[in-house]
């Protein structure tokens, strides 16, 4: 008789009763952990396998974990977990929500950044696609012969000024002066390796120093993220930008890292990054990260967006820049 009476009492307790605050503690703990990782990713060390940089590369995608935890909290009918999940939602919104807002259309320069791939089967089509929106500047990486001649010929009618050093190039509607190669080669790389240039663009608003760079690739391995060469190259590029005498600077490049990655701190500490748009650019088949960047000094980078796929494994990135 006592067992039946106990069962009846429990059956009448609504699902939102006291028990919903007692269960789901593990889920709630994970929610707090995700919020902590979002807010303070640099607590994850880089000393072993550069795990911290790996986390920062995919930091925006932690929302998928939050969604999974939300589903688990609902299935567990845990009010505790649901309330705890408000914390990572708030942190994610603070960090990345602004990127989803519409950007201002007014700008002084429209720029395109694209790693065209050294095995691109259609360089002429790629060049036409990049020039279709009539940007002021087009920065390209992985320029190799004989495709380089195709890019030069195709872009020449609309872009009378261009500079190519090594495997990187810059095409401009405005006059270029003082172009030169930029040494961003890590010490561990042997043989010819030229992936940087610097030029001054004479825009209607005045001179702008434009840097074009292609930093070393990174690899995700069982041991972690192999990015030491990329990090060293970013340091060299950051030092060059710091020494630049022209006040206004625009950096266009395949930096093989996201702006949240601490490996790019020599650049992100000196240059402003895009205010709007995720513009995931790699890999082209299923973009999960923006490793093609547009940054500025005394120049505000507005909304970034991607163009449709070309013959490259990267998507082109378009940015609007307002000079200050």
């Amino acid at each position: 008789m006592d067992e039946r009476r106990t069962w009846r009492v429990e059956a009448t307790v609504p699902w939102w009763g006291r028990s919903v605050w007692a269960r789901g503690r593990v889920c709630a703990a994970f929610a707090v952990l995700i919020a902590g990782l979002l807010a303070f990713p640099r607590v994850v060390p880089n000393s072993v396998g550069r795990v911290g940089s790996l986390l920062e590369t995919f930091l925006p995608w932690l929302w998928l974990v939050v969604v999974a935890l939300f589903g688990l909290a609902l299935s567990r009918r845990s009010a505790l977990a649901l309330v705890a999940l408000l914390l990572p939602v708030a942190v994610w919104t603070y960090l990345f929500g602004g990127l989803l807002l519409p950007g201002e259309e007014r700008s002084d320069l429209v720029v395109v950044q694209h790693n065209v791939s050294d095995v691109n089967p259609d360089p002429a089509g790629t060049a036409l696609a990049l020039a279709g929106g009539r940007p002021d500047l087009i920065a390209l990486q992985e320029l190799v012969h004989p495709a380089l001649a195709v890019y030069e010929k195709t872009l020449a009618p609309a872009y009378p000024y261009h500079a190519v050093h090594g495997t990187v190039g810059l095409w401009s509607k405005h006059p270029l002066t003082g172009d030169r190669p930029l040494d961003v080669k890590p010490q561990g790389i042997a043989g010819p390796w030229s992936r940087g240039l610097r030029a001054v663009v004479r825009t209607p608003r005045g001179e702008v120093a434009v840097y074009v760079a292609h930093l070393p690739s990174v690899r995700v391995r069982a041991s972690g993220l192999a990015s030491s060469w990329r990090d060293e190259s970013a340091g060299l590029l950051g030092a060059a930008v710091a020494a630049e005498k022209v006040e206004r600077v625009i950096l266009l490049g395949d930096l093989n890292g996201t702006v949240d990655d601490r490996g790019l701190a020599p650049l992100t500490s000196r240059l402003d990054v895009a205010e709007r748009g995720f513009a995931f650019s790699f890999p082209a088949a299923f973009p999960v990260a923006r490793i093609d960047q547009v940054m500025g000094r005394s120049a505000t980078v507005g909304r970034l967006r991607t163009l449709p796929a070309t013959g490259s494994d990267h998507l082109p990135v378009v940015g609007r820049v307002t000079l200050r």
Side-chain angles (χ1 to χ4, degrees), residues 31-36 38 82-93:
V32 175
L33 174 63
I34 295 301
L38 279 166
L82 289 172
V83 171
L85 281 167
L86 294 176
L87 188 57
V89 169
V91 176
W92 191 98
T93 302

Side-chain angles (χ1 to χ4, degrees), residues 232-298:
E232 182 182 349
S233 190
L236 294 171
L237 182 56
V241 169
E244 177 58 57
K245 301 301 183 183
V246 178
E247 179 61 27
R248 294 164 170 167
V249 174
I250 296 175
L251 169 61
L252 304 166
D254 173 4
L255 305 186
N256 273 302
T258 67
V259 295
D260 298 306
D261 188 338
R262 71 191 71 176
L264 297 188
L267 299 170
T268 53
S269 63
R270 296 182 170 101
L271 300 169
D272 295 330
V273 300
E275 297 178 340
R276 301 286 186 269
F278 281 101
F280 294 144
S281 63
F282 184 84
F286 188 77
V288 296
R290 186 179 78 240
I291 63 175
D292 296 271
Q293 306 294 351
V294 180
M295 302 182 187
R297 185 179 78 189
S298 294

Side-chain angles (χ1 to χ4, degrees), residues 87-168:
L87 188 57
V89 169
V91 176
W92 191 98
T93 302
Y94 175 78
L95 293 175
F96 304 112
L99 295 175
L100 299 172
L101 298 175
E104 189 173 325
E105 291 299 315
R106 186 186 69 84
S107 63
D108 296 311
L109 296 171
V110 177
V111 300
V112 170
Q113 150 60 31
H114 191 31
N115 179 327
V116 295
S117 174
D118 55 5
V119 292
N120 191 320
D122 185 18
T126 297
L128 290 173
L130 300 179
R134 299 181 179 179
D136 296 275
L137 302 174
I138 298 176
L140 304 181
Q141 297 82 42
E142 294 200 11
L143 294 170
V144 294
H145 297 284
L148 172 57
V150 177
Y151 288 110
E152 290 176 325
K153 179 180 179 181
T154 308
L155 293 173
Y159 297 89
Y161 311 100
H162 84 281
V164 175
H165 291 279
T167 58
V168 300

Side-chain angles (χ1 to χ4, degrees), residues 190-201:
W193 197 91
S194 180
R195 290 188 176 187
L197 71 80
R198 178 262 190 194
V200 175
V201 181

